Amino acid sequence: MLMSIKRFDFHKWSAPLALLALCLLSFGLLIPWLGFYWDDWPVILMTRLQGAAGFIRFYQFDRPFSAWTYLITTPILGTSPLPWHIFTLLLRWITAVGMWWSLRGLWPRRSREVTWMAFLFAIYPVFTQQPTSVAYSQHWTVYALYLLSLGAMIQSLRAPRWYWPLTILAALAAIVHLLSMEYFLGLELLRPLVLWLMLGEREMDARRRLKATFKYWLPYLVVLLVFVVYRLFFLNLAGEDPNNPELLFALASQPFRATLQLVQTAIQDSLQILIASWYQTIQPSQISLTDRFLLVSEVIAFLGAAATLVFLLRFKGGPQEELPAEERLNDRWPRQAMALGLLAVVLGPLPVWLTGKQVIVGLYSNRFGLASMFGASIFLVALLEWFTPRRLAKAITLSVLVGLSIGFHLRNANEYRWIWTKQTRFYWQLHWRAPNLEPETAILSEGELFKYVGYYSTSMGLNLMYPHPPSGAEMNYWFVDLYRNFQRNRAGLAKGIPIKRDFRSFNFSGLSTDSLVIRYEPEQGSCLWVLGPSDYDNPILSETVKEVLPASNFDLISAQPVDGYPPTNIFGPEPEHTWCYYYQKAELARQMGDWQQIVKLGRQAQEQGHGANDIQEWLPFIEGYAMAGELEPARDLTDQVRRVNPALEPRLCHLWQRVEDRSQASSQLQETLNQVRGELECAPQPNP
């Protein structure tokens, strides 16, 4: 009987496999449907168009040395989303294993608790941007290097005969991770406490212990000081430092005010990391018994929590088991681990705080909590260990936290999935509407189009959509947010003012009259709209958009596509031709005056059962039918649009006026015009 039970025990080297399963469950299930977001796009553009020179120029603006990660990975992973998502997930797993390995060296008698910490670390919910795979591959690489350095330092004391090789390895890893990015600089200050705890296992007085701690810390202190001096005084950037440590300098000039701000920031962010980040895993307002994905995610979360509970209860990490009751009462480990964890929580974001940024401020700012995940996981497990000796209660609590986090990450990934779907639909609809586009074209829109992307990243996507010179910093296209850029000078856009934009090493220069004004609101049931002056009477458009319509220049659009564009390895295969395909092609045909093509497209759409969700998307078909002499279907569609949305009657009146102006007079056309005008109650008026 004992042998049969023992077969179900999990031994220490099963922990990395369990961590891999946990990462796959939390972040891997939706990978085939994820794409590119935010800072992914500049990297993909440089990979396709510029190569090594592009990366070196781009990162001269903040972290010149960090380009090395992409110089190695982009030739291998290319420009397709799937390899990047798999790669970054594996990096996250490797980082979690690195934490587990490091802490096993620090606390060899605490294998079980260390494994619990690694479980929490792998899925800690403070960081929600895992789907931004290209950008955060760099962060996870550097995080893994820090943990390699920490673990090698710990092992150098555990295996004295390997002290110098391991110390050299640890110092080199520290140099590389510090030069690559400053995110984990604060955790370097954790080393003396780690060394102090390890040296406490030896019989030595406090003075000798302190001297030994400094001795073993000295190589890493030298590395840290050299880097800090280099970063503050010798780093030569191509532009203004985006990570200037303003608060650090303010501590010297305004010590009281700066200290107060630093303490307040530390309290706010620490509470967010330790407590508030778990609140987002439980969102009662999102509970819906009709949402199939939500239900499936909760089932997966429950199964993940159950599997975690079984693993944690059956995990045999080493020769030690539960400590004897008498020894447990005098056990100082929980307090020591809580102190180490809490210090790591505070030290993690310290470099970020010194630049005036916070974990809780900004759409993308939870990335600043990455470094604190290490300490938060240690602190929470140690807190549980201090709070109760009952193993079952601790395992259940941790399993519940893991399950909540799994469900949260799945829902978060699903949001990213829909954002990628929205992006690919936009780019393919733009391709259908504008198969080719003249260089130096600005795309004007009221507000950004996609959450977790940003206007400059959308600009990168536009430059990947169409042929582009293989090198150089000049961009052919740029996305311009009207609200952000022209809130006070929208009227000037119609007169032809220069538009100059830059982002690090990328530059764009054009005229406002070489623009396309767009509206993309698929959540409201409409397709992409490429707008022009004739859309002035569209009742949905805001006054902001109407004011800039004269700047929209359809002559920039060519109907002849270029082979190989848009690249399907980036934007995915061409979607199924549903309503928006026929609408975009009808708008293109209307621009080209190809009325018979519109008739053909309209019949194909109706035969296949496609119809407009936004009723006014029938307008190009009405105009095409009328211009092609198909007056009866044009009149029927007009009546249908009028009945569904009477607010469109002025648009319909102007449409039929254009038909009259462009068509040869005939009795049949005049009769139809009279009937339509009577039904619409059109007042004679010129087009605006």
Side-chain angles (χ1 to χ4, degrees):
M1 179 66 177
L2 289 175
M3 290 183 63
S4 64
I5 293 176
K6 194 172 182 180
R7 290 175 186 169
F8 291 94
D9 289 344
F10 298 99
H11 295 277
K12 60 181 181 180
W13 294 112
S14 63
L17 293 177
L19 287 170
L20 178 60
L22 184 59
C23 287
L24 288 171
L25 201 61
S26 302
F27 308 105
L29 298 182
L30 294 181
I31 276 179
W33 297 276
L34 299 176
F36 296 130
Y37 314 89
W38 193 39
D39 280 353
D40 292 348
W41 282 108
V43 176
I44 296 303
L45 185 141
M46 287 184 287
T47 301
R48 182 175 173 89
L49 299 179
Q50 298 180 349
F55 286 109
I56 293 170
R57 286 195 304 266
F58 187 81
Y59 286 102
Q60 286 293 327
F61 284 78
D62 61 349
R63 301 181 182 101
F65 188 75
S66 65
W68 73 268
T69 63
Y70 293 124
L71 294 178
I72 292 174
T73 55
T74 53
I76 301 170
L77 299 174
T79 57
S80 296
L82 183 60
W84 281 103
H85 284 282
I86 294 173
F87 175 65
T88 304
L89 177 59
L90 290 176
L91 285 175
R92 185 171 189 144
W93 168 65
I94 289 169
T95 307
V97 172
M99 177 194 183
W100 174 79
W101 171 68
S102 300
L103 295 183
R104 272 182 57 83
L106 176 60
W107 294 310
R109 295 189 62 200
R110 296 287 179 171
S111 293
R112 182 182 297 118
E113 289 82 357
V114 164
T115 302
W116 294 359
M117 293 171 184
F119 266 58
L120 276 185
F121 175 82
I123 48 80
Y124 206 90
V126 70
F127 175 65
T128 62
Q129 300 173 61
Q130 180 70 20
T132 310
S133 59
V134 182
Y136 287 107
S137 67
Q138 200 169 62
H139 295 68
W140 288 115
T141 299
V142 174
Y143 212 157
L145 284 170
Y146 167 75
L147 291 169
L148 171 64
S149 177
L150 183 66
M153 182 192 77
I154 292 169
Q155 292 301 323
S156 71
L157 270 67
R158 295 293 182 201
R161 61 181 293 191
W162 292 97
Y163 174 78
W164 282 112
L166 288 169
T167 298
I168 293 171
L169 173 64
L172 289 175
I175 292 170
V176 174
H177 93 74
L178 287 170
L179 286 172
S180 298
M181 59 174 54
E182 311 89 345
Y183 272 67
F184 308 102
L185 182 151
L187 293 180
E188 284 292 319
L189 299 175
L190 208 62
R191 291 183 191 267
L193 180 55
V194 171
L195 293 168
W196 174 267
L197 293 176
M198 293 185 68
L199 293 170
E201 301 170 5
R202 306 178 184 180
E203 294 295 333
M204 61 175 65
D205 58 37
R207 185 175 179 180
R208 289 177 56 206
R209 186 178 174 188
L210 187 61
K211 289 178 64 177
T213 298
F214 183 78
K215 169 189 169 183
Y216 289 121
W217 183 38
L218 186 58
Y220 311 102
L221 177 59
V222 170
V223 168
L224 179 60
L225 291 177
V226 169
F227 171 75
V228 170
V229 171
Y230 160 75
R231 179 63 180 81
L232 292 179
F233 304 108
F234 294 99
L235 179 62
N236 185 22
L237 299 177
E240 185 178 349
D241 188 353
N243 299 305
N244 186 40
E246 301 169 357
L247 190 57
L248 177 62
F249 296 128
L251 287 170
S253 60
Q254 299 175 306
F256 178 77
R257 181 178 179 182
T259 301
L260 189 65
Q261 181 182 344
L262 181 60
V263 171
Q264 175 179 298
T265 299
I267 293 172
Q268 291 174 336
D269 280 1
S270 297
L271 289 174
Q272 171 68 26
I273 292 161
L274 289 172
I275 301 172
S277 62
W278 290 99
Y279 290 166
Q280 63 188 347
T281 64
I282 306 173
Q283 299 174 329
S285 61
Q286 291 189 0
I287 295 176
S288 172
L289 298 180
T290 59
D291 187 331
R292 287 182 292 179
F293 182 86
L294 178 64
L295 295 175
V296 170
S297 69
E298 293 305 321
V299 170
I300 294 172
F302 175 79
L303 294 175
T308 300
L309 179 61
V310 171
F311 181 85
L312 296 181
L313 289 175
R314 303 305 303 173
F315 181 72
K316 305 294 183 184
Q320 87 293 346
E321 294 297 334
E322 298 292 339
L323 294 174
E326 183 178 347
E327 189 176 343
R328 179 174 290 280
L329 290 174
N330 299 318
D331 186 18
R332 293 182 299 173
W333 179 84
R335 291 187 294 274
Q336 291 177 346
M338 279 193 290
L340 179 69
L342 194 58
L343 182 62
V345 168
V346 176
L347 290 177
L350 181 60
V352 172
W353 295 339
L354 293 177
T355 65
K357 301 182 179 72
Q358 280 193 255
V359 175
I360 62 172
V361 178
L363 182 62
Y364 307 102
S365 62
N366 63 51
R367 71 189 188 275
F368 301 140
L370 271 169
S372 289
M373 289 166 50
F374 177 75
S377 304
I378 295 173
F379 177 81
L380 291 177
V381 171
L383 180 66
L384 274 177
E385 188 70 17
W386 172 79
F387 187 73
T388 177
R390 298 180 179 275
R391 182 179 172 191
L392 179 61
K394 292 181 289 189
I396 290 175
T397 302
L398 288 167
S399 299
V400 169
L401 292 177
V402 168
L404 289 173
S405 198
I406 289 173
F408 169 70
H409 287 304
L410 284 171
R411 295 191 298 274
N412 182 63
N414 191 50
E415 182 179 8
Y416 274 88
R417 177 176 71 91
W418 279 113
I419 292 170
W420 179 239
T421 299
K422 184 178 179 181
Q423 286 188 83
T424 54
R425 289 176 178 174
F426 165 79
Y427 286 117
W428 276 105
Q429 287 186 47
L430 180 61
H431 168 71
W432 294 332
R433 176 63 183 88
N436 202 356
L437 198 57
E438 289 294 320
E440 300 182 357
T441 297
I443 305 296
L444 310 181
S445 173
E446 185 180 23
E448 296 181 8
L449 301 180
F450 316 107
K451 187 178 180 182
Y452 302 138
V453 178
Y455 67 93
Y456 67 81
S457 294
T458 303
S459 300
M460 304 299 110
L462 290 169
N463 282 280
L464 288 163
M465 272 280 295
Y466 298 103
H468 198 285
S471 62
E474 293 299 321
M475 297 290 102
N476 283 347
Y477 313 101
W478 205 263
F479 176 81
V480 179
D481 179 352
L482 292 171
Y483 181 81
R484 177 191 293 267
N485 295 282
F486 292 102
Q487 191 172 2
R488 297 181 179 179
N489 192 27
R490 292 192 298 269
L493 291 173
K495 300 176 182 178
I497 61 176
I499 297 179
K500 295 183 181 294
R501 294 292 177 269
D502 60 80
F503 173 65
R504 296 197 184 186
S505 58
F506 298 115
N507 304 294
F508 172 82
S509 180
L511 286 174
S512 60
T513 47
D514 291 332
S515 302
L516 292 179
V517 180
I518 67 167
R519 179 184 183 273
Y520 184 54
E521 298 288 348
E523 296 86 355
Q524 298 180 18
S526 59
C527 305
L528 166 67
W529 292 351
V530 178
L531 304 168
S534 64
D535 292 291
Y536 187 84
D537 50 9
N538 186 326
I540 292 179
L541 301 183
S542 68
E543 292 303 316
T544 298
V545 173
K546 290 180 179 180
E547 195 171 359
V548 300
L549 288 177
S552 199
N553 183 1
F554 288 176
D555 290 338
L556 301 169
I557 296 173
S558 169
Q560 186 61 41
V562 179
D563 289 342
Y565 288 89
T568 55
N569 65 316
I570 297 176
F571 297 99
E574 184 170 3
E576 180 184 355
H577 291 175
T578 54
W579 168 255
C580 286
Y581 169 82
Y582 293 101
Y583 168 73
Q584 302 298 350
K585 287 301 184 183
E587 283 283 28
L588 178 62
R590 177 165 68 167
Q591 173 191 334
M592 301 300 169
D594 191 347
W595 311 115
Q596 293 298 330
Q597 177 66 7
I598 295 179
V599 172
K600 179 181 177 182
L601 289 165
R603 288 172 178 169
Q604 287 177 347
Q606 290 178 320
E607 288 171 0
Q608 296 181 28
H610 300 308
N613 290 322
D614 189 308
I615 195 66
Q616 61 182 315
E617 289 174 0
W618 281 112
L619 266 61
F621 294 94
I622 294 174
E623 188 167 350
Y625 282 137
M627 292 297 296
E630 302 280 347
L631 298 176
E632 192 62 33
R635 181 183 170 187
D636 290 343
L637 277 176
T638 301
D639 185 59
Q640 179 183 339
V641 171
R642 178 183 64 84
R643 290 177 183 275
V644 171
N645 189 353
L648 295 176
E649 288 187 2
R651 293 209 75 191
L652 293 167
C653 289
H654 292 147
L655 185 154
W656 281 97
Q657 182 63 50
R658 288 197 301 273
V659 171
E660 182 179 24
D661 293 342
R662 297 174 183 174
S663 302
Q664 294 182 352
S666 69
S667 58
Q668 184 180 9
L669 174 60
Q670 195 59 50
E671 181 182 353
T672 302
L673 284 168
N674 292 336
Q675 292 173 343
V676 167
R677 284 171 174 159
E679 293 168 353
L680 296 175
E681 299 181 356
C682 296
Q685 54 180 319
N687 284 329

